[in-house]
Amino acid sequence: MGYTIRAARPGDAAALAAIYAPYVLETAITFEYEPPDAAEFRRRMEAIQGRYPYLVAEKAGEVLGYAYAAPFHDRAAFAWVAEPSIYLRRDARGQGLGTALYARLEELLRGQGIVSLCALIADAEAEDEYITHASVRFHANRGFAELGRYPRCGYKFGRWYDLVWMGKALASAGG
């Protein structure tokens, strides 16, 4: 283990942008074509942190990954639903770090009264050099269920990719 999970700070923006950039440039996991620079990354972080947790995992002062939640939709009735995201440095995968980050994120969101999570995950029917089913499996292992698939909605690297919608209840909605 040996890592800590803490709230992201503005000074983390460059490290987080560096973790995200290979996902943009080398995978279809994100549908962005150009990686944001540190300034844009900081702006995105600050916009999210006004309402939702934004966490980093670090070991010996090095940032290994991050997870955050964002609004699922901007309408008021969706205030109890959030969209989680997670990105790990390649050399930090497979060590339980993603599970630990998501567990802490879910704990904080539950404390904020969030009752449901909706993850939108890039996928394809068949794996290729740009995408695997790893993210869908990760979410399924964390208790997310597939709610639907939007075929051919993201175009990257000269081919079409799907978007899988997965959901998880964090708490009873009550009321």
Side-chain angles (χ1 to χ4, degrees), residues 58-162:
E58 69 178 0
K59 182 176 185 177
E62 266 191 84
V63 177
L64 303 175
Y66 63 96
Y68 64 91
F72 173 68
H73 198 283
D74 62 353
R75 302 279 193 265
F78 291 107
W80 293 269
V81 182
E83 180 184 348
S85 293
I86 185 168
Y87 293 92
L88 300 177
R89 242 176 40 187
R90 288 184 177 168
D91 62 345
R93 292 189 225 164
Q95 303 171 31
L97 186 59
T99 297
L101 272 166
Y102 251 38
R104 180 68 179 134
L105 183 66
E106 290 176 11
E107 177 186 349
L108 292 169
L109 291 168
R110 213 175 275 109
Q112 287 183 242
I114 300 297
V115 299
S116 296
L117 297 177
C118 290
L120 300 172
I121 302 164
D123 195 40
E125 284 191 33
E127 293 183 352
D128 64 26
E129 67 270 31
Y130 301 113
I131 202 154
T132 68
H133 301 304
S135 192
V136 170
R137 282 192 304 270
F138 171 80
H139 284 82
N141 290 338
R142 294 271 328 128
F144 285 76
E146 187 170 323
L147 304 174
R149 177 178 289 268
Y150 302 98
R152 299 174 48 95
C153 67
Y155 188 78
K156 193 170 180 180
F157 303 120
R159 59 190 79 169
W160 288 99
Y161 291 95
D162 299 348

Side-chain angles (χ1 to χ4, degrees), residues 24-92:
V24 175
L25 297 171
E26 301 166 14
T27 79
I29 290 171
T30 173
F31 289 164
E32 287 196 77
Y33 288 173
E34 299 294 328
D37 63 14
E40 171 60 15
F41 218 89
R42 180 178 298 177
R43 187 198 64 72
R44 292 179 186 187
M45 290 169 58
E46 290 170 350
I48 287 170
Q49 287 177 310
R51 159 111 193 199
Y52 297 100
Y54 205 121
L55 305 173
V56 299
E58 69 178 0
K59 182 176 185 177
E62 266 191 84
V63 177
L64 303 175
Y66 63 96
Y68 64 91
F72 173 68
H73 198 283
D74 62 353
R75 302 279 193 265
F78 291 107
W80 293 269
V81 182
E83 180 184 348
S85 293
I86 185 168
Y87 293 92
L88 300 177
R89 242 176 40 187
R90 288 184 177 168
D91 62 345

